[in-house]
Amino acid sequence: MSNSGMKQRLHDDMTAALKARDDIRKSTLRMALTAVTKAEVAGKEARELSDAEILDVLGSEAKKRRESVIAYREAGRAELADKEQAEADILAEYLPTQLTAAEIAALVTETIAATGAADLGPRGIGKVMGALQPKVKGKADGGAVSAEVKRQLGA
């Protein structure tokens, strides 16, 4: 079926959820596999995604769910928010552990020192973010990282 261990794991877990009659897990994993397949056929020619690319797709899907939870809660639709939260929780099982605020702050401090951006003030944001992105990709929300960089650089 696939060379990708992550895709195979998603497929195997979906099969297990199907057998266990776990509807929310089954539908969430089916949606995730559909998103992966869409990403594989996007572009000029179909190709198989690497595990890292599959993690990017899953991260994007999880972010959509988190944003939906906020929107549904603000609209007073608790039942829909709970469903989206359950889906986000299932997707989170496949993603790397997220960094805490303290870990993000420490990484930002270390990167500012390494890049010498402290002297640049707010103009150093791009330099710091460029150096930070490979370290935090998939492990932290970009908005949270950006906010911490701006806070430490006084922007």
Side-chain angles (χ1 to χ4, degrees):
M1 174 181 157
S2 163
N3 300 346
S4 167
M6 179 60 76
K7 189 172 180 182
Q8 187 62 48
R9 179 179 166 209
L10 287 168
H11 197 276
D12 292 346
D13 289 354
M14 187 186 74
T15 303
L18 192 71
K19 290 177 182 176
R21 300 191 191 289
D22 184 345
D23 289 335
I24 187 75
R25 180 172 288 279
K26 175 189 71 176
S27 67
T28 301
L29 295 177
R30 186 172 279 156
M31 170 276 307
L33 283 165
T34 300
V36 169
T37 302
K38 277 185 179 178
E40 287 178 334
V41 298
K44 294 187 190 286
E45 63 183 60
R47 64 188 181 85
E48 189 152 324
L49 298 180
S50 68
D51 282 354
E53 291 169 318
I54 290 173
L55 284 175
D56 288 345
V57 171
L58 294 179
S60 174
E61 291 297 319
K63 182 177 181 183
K64 288 178 194 175
R65 299 303 170 286
R66 289 191 303 270
E67 290 169 352
S68 294
V69 167
I70 294 167
Y72 285 137
R73 293 222 191 281
E74 288 174 355
R77 302 291 307 268
E79 71 286 350
L80 292 173
D82 292 344
K83 179 182 180 289
E84 293 288 328
Q85 185 62 55
E87 289 179 1
D89 292 344
I90 290 168
L91 291 172
E93 295 172 18
Y94 297 91
L95 298 171
T97 306
Q98 296 293 298
L99 297 173
T100 65
E103 291 170 326
I104 292 171
L107 266 174
V108 169
T109 302
E110 175 186 310
T111 306
I112 288 173
T115 59
D119 302 336
L120 299 174
R123 291 183 317 218
I125 292 172
K127 189 175 192 179
V128 174
M129 287 299 291
L132 264 176
Q133 282 303 333
K135 297 177 187 175
V136 300
K137 187 170 181 164
K139 297 180 196 168
D141 178 49
V145 174
S146 177
E148 181 61 25
V149 169
K150 288 176 183 172
R151 188 187 69 74
Q152 289 193 25
L153 288 177

